[in-house]
Amino acid sequence: MSDRKQWLTLAFLAALAAGPVFADTEITKDVVMSHLQGVGQFDVGAAVAPYADDATLILADKVYHGSDEIRGFFKTFFAEFSQADVSMETEALVFEGNTALTTWNAESPNNVYEFGADTFVVQDGKIVTHTMAARITPK
């Protein structure tokens, strides 16, 4: 983990400890962090497990319906991001009630992701809606 990621993680944990965390926010945090851990391990099953069976993943150019379609998206995503010479940096990770936001940037051998943002909506302990947008420049 880069020094910046460690610092952001520690800053985030300190912020959580400093103020009250309501039940919905804590559930949302647990669910989204479980998803992000799966993403970090390039584990499709772990990344998709936190999604509801009828979840929706919305991108600018396509909408994925249901966990099977979302699983297909992550297989393609991991094929790009598991290559050598990939970098990804989280800029922000915010939880409020049943919603989470993460902003990030990345570079792969294929593309430069100058700015990315994901939102997650959690209901009944599952991700029901996930949006992802990024400024992508092909190499």
Side-chain angles (χ1 to χ4, degrees):
M1 183 181 291
S2 72
D3 289 340
R4 180 169 171 78
K5 286 181 186 174
Q6 285 178 320
W7 182 86
L8 285 172
T9 300
L10 291 173
F12 172 72
L13 292 174
L16 282 179
V21 177
F22 299 100
D24 286 347
T25 300
E26 189 64 31
I27 292 167
T28 299
K29 176 181 160 273
D30 291 345
V31 170
V32 172
M33 292 305 292
S34 174
H35 162 72
L36 294 175
Q37 287 170 352
V39 170
Q41 296 167 349
F42 304 113
D43 182 332
V44 173
V48 177
Y51 286 82
D53 290 340
D54 60 348
T56 304
L57 170 59
I58 304 169
L59 281 65
D61 61 347
K62 187 168 182 176
V63 177
Y64 297 85
H65 299 280
S67 56
D68 288 341
E69 287 186 14
I70 293 170
R71 180 179 308 280
F73 165 80
F74 279 107
K75 285 180 181 177
T76 302
F77 183 82
F78 291 162
E80 178 177 354
F81 280 88
S82 63
Q83 299 178 75
D85 298 323
V86 170
S87 64
M88 185 173 225
E89 183 174 359
T90 300
E91 296 292 328
L93 186 55
V94 181
F95 300 94
E96 181 63 36
N98 71 337
T99 306
L101 168 70
T102 181
T103 59
W104 50 274
N105 59 63
E107 186 169 346
S108 76
N110 308 45
N111 298 295
V112 174
Y113 296 79
E114 187 178 335
F115 178 81
D118 289 71
T119 58
F120 301 89
V121 177
V122 175
Q123 292 177 351
D124 299 323
K126 293 287 191 176
I127 297 169
V128 295
T129 305
H130 173 186
T131 67
M132 183 187 320
R135 184 177 304 130
I136 305 168
T137 305
K139 288 185 169 180

